[in-house]
Amino acid sequence: MSEPQRHCASTIASALKVTSWALLGALITLGAVTVTSTVTAARAIVRPAKRKREPVRVMRADEQTHTLTTRAVVEARAPGSYTVLYRDGVALLGDIVEQTRRSVTRRVVAWNGAAPWDAQWVRYTSAPELTHTELEIPVEDVEIATELGALPAWLFPQASSNDDWAIHVHGRGASRREPLRGVRQAHREGWTSLVISYRNDADWRPSADGRYGLGLTEAQDVAAALRYARSHGATRIMLVGWSMGGAAVLATLLDGDAEDVVAIMLESPVTSWLDVFRFEAREIGLLPWIAPLAWRLLRSPLAPLTTGVADPLELERLEVHERGDELRVPILILHSKQDRVVPYRSSRRLHRLRPELVQLEIFPRGLHTRLWNDDPTRWNDVVRAWFRRHRCPSQAER
């Protein structure tokens, strides 16, 4: 080999060596990013939020005009009415009065607790009721026996005792106010309603690990509510679940003692956590393989060490489309095409799998669990008709 050839070969070998080391470094970096992102995503989904202040900045609160101006977040811009939580109070906001690129001004309709005029930070929520007493339905504060102690719940009994009970389960990070709009429709059709809390709620105690079970551990509290209802006369029960509460309801139905459950109602439900992980990963721009890795991590023996859950989560039990042949009762699903938390395609897939059992009501607009806020007339009509359809025949004849 001539000297020029040797020099050329040496140069190529050096370039290959540099390229190999660079490639190895890139692979190590990608691996580290993948591991970190996977653990972070898995940990975030099971860790209850602990906010020291509400996340939306109040730019102006005007007592004279009864308006509140906040940053122009998505919910502030959405049509319909919303409630906002702030320190020592909650307020109902109505129509948008004015909006700019940076801010949205809405009418303050009512409030409970402290007036909103001194609020600096708020959090938008969907529940139209400020308190559970606002329904103008007799209500009792009751406690349900569970393995973690006495679970607080609201009981809305019928004037005359009846066998039809609805158990309402709110979503992840929400409160018992969330399902109250459904309680109103249930009561009009003769159902007794039990609105429950569950472990790691803001108004109840944490579990031993202080982590959500994504519907699996929460199903134990739904099962306790079923036992309570039966012991107080219920013989026909409807389970109502919102978002992650829907996953808890479905887990109870598929794996629990639910022979007296006659129907299910689900608002923006989780029927596949794998679908949710993938959808949210795309929304925030994560690497495409992070979502299935996070899902697998939560199911693995490494889950307690990396995410803090007490035991690995059997998330395959909540892939409801894989267990469609186990469904035995009618299910109503309400979902929005604009849901940016739980993809409506999961609900559509379940409907296509069991069309004879699953009634799917797709709303063209509305944020996650905010369908009532966008179209209250349609929501009320569909939900009330569902309760009317499944009430006891003897009750329906009255």
Side-chain angles (χ1 to χ4, degrees):
M1 181 182 294
S2 66
E3 185 64 27
Q5 289 174 326
R6 280 196 297 272
H7 177 72
C8 181
S10 175
T11 300
I12 292 173
S14 297
L16 288 174
K17 185 181 295 185
V18 170
T19 301
S20 297
W21 280 109
L23 180 60
L24 178 61
L27 290 173
I28 292 173
T29 300
L30 181 60
V33 169
T34 296
V35 170
T36 300
S37 298
T38 299
V39 172
T40 300
R43 187 180 295 156
I45 201 71
V46 297
R47 179 181 291 170
K50 292 181 173 62
R51 295 186 178 93
K52 293 184 178 180
R53 65 181 185 180
E54 306 303 340
V56 182
R57 187 78 169 91
V58 175
M59 304 175 74
R60 185 174 67 255
D62 193 327
E63 185 175 2
Q64 298 300 317
T65 60
H66 272 225
T67 56
L68 193 73
T69 303
T70 69
R71 280 195 308 106
V73 297
V74 172
E75 284 188 312
R77 290 184 177 277
S81 60
Y82 290 84
T83 50
V84 288
L85 306 178
Y86 49 91
R87 185 174 180 178
D88 300 325
V90 55
L92 176 63
L93 303 186
D95 296 335
I96 294 175
V97 175
E98 180 183 4
Q99 61 177 313
T100 68
R101 186 173 59 85
R102 297 181 58 250
S103 67
V104 175
T105 301
R106 304 185 80 119
R107 189 81 60 194
V108 177
V109 177
W111 65 86
N112 185 60
W117 316 126
D118 295 324
Q120 297 181 337
W121 297 87
V122 298
R123 178 162 63 95
Y124 280 83
T125 69
S126 65
E129 293 82 13
L130 301 180
T131 70
H132 63 291
T133 59
E134 190 177 314
L135 295 179
E136 297 182 352
I137 300 172
V139 59
E140 304 170 18
D141 288 300
V142 300
E143 293 183 338
I144 299 170
T146 75
E147 60 181 11
L148 295 181
L151 176 74
W154 294 324
L155 177 65
F156 297 86
Q158 287 294 321
S160 58
S161 60
N162 73 307
D163 300 334
D164 292 351
W165 282 50
I167 297 174
H168 305 255
V169 188
H170 65 73
R172 180 182 185 275
S175 73
R176 277 182 284 165
R177 287 192 305 113
E178 184 174 61
L180 289 179
R181 67 204 92 170
V183 170
R184 189 188 300 273
Q185 306 310 319
H187 191 82
R188 288 172 175 170
E189 295 303 325
W191 293 74
T192 289
S193 283
L194 183 65
V195 183
I196 71 169
S197 306
Y198 50 73
R199 59 197 65 198
N200 299 303
D201 262 356
D203 61 349
W204 199 44
R205 65 189 60 180
S207 55
D209 59 6
R211 297 292 186 269
Y212 289 127
L214 303 187
L216 293 168
T217 55
E218 294 79 7
Q220 298 173 44
D221 300 322
V222 180
L226 278 170
R227 293 191 295 271
Y228 177 94
R230 291 168 185 143
S231 68
H232 287 76
T235 60
R236 304 175 72 260
I237 299 172
M238 184 183 297
L239 297 178
V240 181
W242 294 66
S243 189
M244 189 180 81
V249 159
L250 289 166
T252 305
L253 178 72
L254 292 170
D255 297 327
D257 177 15
E259 290 185 0
D260 45 8
V261 173
V262 297
I264 301 288
M265 175 191 146
L266 303 173
E267 156 85 35
S268 311
V270 176
T271 58
S272 166
W273 278 110
L274 186 55
D275 284 355
V276 172
F277 282 22
R278 285 171 170 160
F279 182 77
E280 294 196 359
R282 288 194 297 270
E283 288 288 302
I284 62 177
L286 286 179
L287 296 169
W289 55 83
I290 298 297
L293 286 177
W295 186 81
R296 291 186 177 91
L297 175 61
L298 286 169
R299 297 172 57 223
S300 77
L302 292 175
L305 179 65
T306 56
T307 69
V309 295
D311 299 293
L313 300 178
E314 299 177 68
L315 294 180
E316 67 277 6
R317 288 166 48 197
L318 298 177
E319 296 298 303
V320 182
H321 61 278
E322 299 289 348
R323 305 180 64 184
D325 57 344
E326 299 178 46
L327 298 174
R328 294 290 182 269
V329 301
I331 299 174
L332 169 66
I333 299 179
L334 303 103
H335 218 136
S336 169
K337 283 188 174 182
Q338 293 190 354
D339 196 320
R340 291 294 176 263
V341 178
V342 177
Y344 85 95
R345 291 180 179 85
S346 297
S347 294
R348 186 176 62 184
R349 179 166 45 159
L350 188 59
H351 166 66
R352 289 175 175 174
L353 183 66
R354 296 298 305 272
E356 78 284 5
L357 279 184
V358 179
Q359 176 181 331
L360 178 61
E361 296 287 338
I362 292 292
F363 286 64
R365 301 187 310 177
L367 304 178
H368 181 63
T369 68
R370 272 68 171 160
L371 280 64
W372 180 94
N373 304 82
D374 182 69
D375 192 345
T377 299
R378 181 186 173 194
W379 195 96
N380 288 338
D381 289 346
V382 169
V383 171
R384 186 171 181 181
W386 186 256
F387 280 106
R388 182 186 307 122
R389 174 181 171 185
H390 294 286
R391 63 188 175 184
C392 178
S394 61
Q395 178 75 12
E397 292 170 1
R398 296 177 186 177

